[in-house]
Amino acid sequence: MTSIVETSLGSEAEGKLHRSINWTGAFWVASGVPALVLFSIGGIAGTTGKLAFLIWTVSIVLGFLQSFTYAEIAGLFPNKSGGASIYGAAAWVRYSKLVAPLSVWCNWFAWSPVLSLGCSIAAAYILNALAPVPLASGPEVAQWLATHGASISGSDADKAAAAVAALTPDIRNWTAFTHSIGPVSFSFNAAFFVGAVLMLMVFAIQHRGILGTANVQKWIGLTVIIPMVVVGVVPLLTGKVDWSNFSPLVPLAAASAPEPGSWNIPGWTLALGGMFIAAWSTYGFETAVCYTSEFRDPSKDTFKAIFYSGLLCMALFILVPFTFQGVLGLNGMLDPAIVDGSGVAQAMAHMVGGGKFVESILVMLMILALILSIMTAMAGSSRTLYQGSVDGWLPRYLSHVNEHGAPTRAMWTDLTFNLILLAIACADATSFFFILAVSNCGYIIFNFLNLNSGWLHRIDSGHVPRPYKAPSWIIGLGAVFAFVNVIFMGAGAKVWNPVALWAGLGTAALIIPVFLYRHYVQDGGKFPHETFEDLQIGDGKTIVTKKAGFLPYLTLIAGVVVLLAANWFFQL
């Protein structure tokens, strides 16, 4: 399978991944996943209202149960990197050349935008700290109005808006160039350049290889996880949580409006939209199995990495949204700065209290949390590109790694792709959530294929010993959840942008020309030996034959039918 090398036998060998970490290393690399709550906690609150805490809770429970399937299939391939999509592709390649690379591709374009989205939020936090936009109710605005208000006509709200505009630092409105393309805009503004610097910093750390990355992330992770626990626990201890903020449990009548709705079709659509976008964050700890070929002992480390990462995420994805909603309440969660994400760090700091100094410290730690999630994403997505290239799904140039065992060409590809996305994400909230929704379409497709690969591997290679074997009912439940996730996508993608679903499906289809180029132009219609070894798991000699018959094709057809039916039935 993938070429690997024990560090004790010469880790300087170029072109090989190094077995240099145990499960705790992968745990720390995956510790950036809880920070993904910062990406969409505001958007989900603004879309689902008082259901928000329940959305997060249900979503992380689904993700935790699904992870047991991924832990099993990862154990079948101790010499592969790249994560669950790589292991799932090995099940589908026996039935379709095109479905297997679809899994890998969709996992990559789901994870990769974490870099651009995270950098755009972190840049907004930094700009808020260095050049804050004054609050309409702040003393600066009151003083400006006392001096200039008499010369301005209009309502009090108009005068306050004029004061805020006059007092806003010029850098917050500056842009070198801005334009619109279809449903999104892009802007080379101050946030873009700050975000680009952050992205390059992460690249420099990742260049040192997985062991160096894990060591750095351990300390950043400790620095970040502790304040997130503080944000989740302190409001409960200090009595700041208002229990009336959790009822009635009904959807909003419309997104970003405080009026309660009902459990009708539009209400269900908003709720499913929340489940759709939450999955992008809560399922993410499956990245802990991206590093199987870099574990010293894959048979033991693989399950421990994903299990303990899952427990950490269970705690924080339930606790933080719960206290966030309990303190802010519905009206607080619908504040535009919360919905677009730029004011989330400040709001969390206020939840804890302690004055301006404590608030500044917590905002800085939230920026570190975002950097941690960006590091997690680059580590995982670059290895997906690397392994996809080694296995014959993606162009050959991505197979290169440097002397530290870092897949640098894949990392450069990630970086270039995300600099483009960063310009879009920094333009406005609509463009930000468009990227998020499109990337999550890829993530749902990946999860659908990989949850079903669990039972495919059981049918075709059930005789192969597994370091960890999930209970059969978990494998079956995962197959059911695969279709539940498709409902989330079909019903919920339109909540974030009317064309998000179709843009996501179109992006997924881009793998067809990419794979055809690699397979027929670069490889002459033949798979590399690593892919043939996927069909020989176990003793390495016996070819695993197709035993599932028409079931895989029936599953794909059923998935498309469920997707289209959900999109047709659920409407805003």
Side-chain angles (χ1 to χ4, degrees), residues 156-178:
D156 290 343
D158 293 333
K159 293 181 178 181
V164 170
L167 294 171
T168 297
D170 291 340
I171 194 173
R172 301 302 297 271
N173 296 318
W174 175 85
T175 180
F177 183 74
T178 186

Side-chain angles (χ1 to χ4, degrees), residues 200-221:
L200 288 169
M201 289 171 53
V202 171
F203 181 92
I205 295 172
Q206 296 275 325
H207 196 272
R208 299 168 57 221
I210 191 63
L211 180 59
T213 298
N215 288 335
V216 171
Q217 291 210 193
K218 176 172 67 175
W219 299 110
I220 298 179

Side-chain angles (χ1 to χ4, degrees), residues 438-500:
V438 170
S439 68
N440 196 43
C441 287
Y443 201 44
I444 296 298
I445 295 171
F446 146 72
N447 275 282
F448 176 82
L449 293 174
N450 278 267
L451 288 170
N452 282 300
S453 76
W455 59 262
L456 265 178
H457 276 304
R458 282 282 184 95
I459 292 174
D460 287 341
S461 54
H463 62 286
V464 177
R466 286 152 164 78
Y468 166 74
K469 187 173 184 178
S472 296
W473 66 269
I474 281 282
I475 300 295
L477 194 62
V480 173
F481 287 165
F483 288 93
V484 172
N485 286 325
V486 168
I487 294 174
F488 295 160
M489 180 170 72
K494 64 168 69 77
V495 171
W496 304 96
N497 192 287
V499 299

Side-chain angles (χ1 to χ4, degrees), residues 236-534:
L236 289 169
L237 299 178
T238 57
K240 287 189 175 182
V241 172
D242 185 348
W243 299 98
S244 66
N245 290 333
F246 301 103
S247 63
L249 282 177
V250 294
L252 295 175
S256 301
E259 292 78 18
S262 59
W263 287 105
N264 52 17
I265 291 179
W268 273 106
T269 304
L270 287 175
L272 293 172
M275 291 297 300
F276 167 70
I277 218 70
W280 186 81
S281 300
T282 57
Y283 298 177
F285 66 92
E286 48 83 14
T287 191
V289 295
C290 274
Y291 318 101
T292 309
S293 67
E294 293 163 278
F295 286 145
R296 296 192 186 105
D297 186 355
S299 64
K300 295 179 180 179
D301 291 332
T302 302
F303 175 75
K304 289 181 179 179
I306 195 169
F307 179 74
Y308 289 110
S309 297
L311 289 181
L312 173 67
C313 289
M314 281 274 285
L316 293 179
F317 276 118
I318 292 173
L319 197 58
V320 172
F322 181 83
T323 54
F324 187 79
Q325 179 173 335
V327 175
L328 265 65
L330 182 58
N331 289 328
M333 292 192 299
L334 295 180
D335 184 286
I338 299 298
V339 174
D340 67 21
S342 62
V344 168
Q346 286 81 357
M348 288 184 171
H350 286 142
M351 288 163 52
V352 176
K356 199 71 177 176
F357 176 75
V358 173
E359 178 182 334
S360 299
I361 293 296
L362 279 171
V363 169
M364 183 180 70
L365 292 176
M366 292 302 171
I367 294 172
L368 280 176
L370 289 167
I371 292 175
L372 186 64
S373 68
I374 295 163
M375 291 176 67
T376 297
M378 180 173 280
S381 62
S382 61
R383 280 158 178 79
T384 299
L385 288 179
Y386 165 81
Q387 191 67 55
S389 176
V390 170
D391 288 348
W393 313 124
L394 301 175
R396 284 181 182 172
Y397 83 95
L398 295 167
S399 302
H400 172 81
V401 299
N402 69 3
E403 68 276 11
H404 302 295
T408 46
R409 290 181 184 172
M411 289 163 59
W412 276 113
T413 301
D414 256 352
L415 184 70
T416 304
F417 174 67
N418 276 281
L419 284 173
I420 298 171
L421 293 186
L422 181 63
I424 299 173
C426 289
D428 51 51
T430 299
S431 300
F432 177 95
F433 281 108
F434 176 79
I435 294 174
L436 185 56
V438 170
S439 68
N440 196 43
C441 287
Y443 201 44
I444 296 298
I445 295 171
F446 146 72
N447 275 282
F448 176 82
L449 293 174
N450 278 267
L451 288 170
N452 282 300
S453 76
W455 59 262
L456 265 178
H457 276 304
R458 282 282 184 95
I459 292 174
D460 287 341
S461 54
H463 62 286
V464 177
R466 286 152 164 78
Y468 166 74
K469 187 173 184 178
S472 296
W473 66 269
I474 281 282
I475 300 295
L477 194 62
V480 173
F481 287 165
F483 288 93
V484 172
N485 286 325
V486 168
I487 294 174
F488 295 160
M489 180 170 72
K494 64 168 69 77
V495 171
W496 304 96
N497 192 287
V499 299
L501 175 62
W502 314 115
L505 295 177
T507 305
L510 291 176
I511 186 56
I512 296 175
V514 172
F515 170 69
L516 293 178
Y517 169 77
R518 168 62 195 269
H519 189 61
Y520 291 104
V521 176
Q522 291 191 319
D523 291 347
K526 298 179 180 179
F527 282 114
H529 69 89
E530 286 84 358
T531 304
F532 282 110
E533 289 180 1
D534 291 343

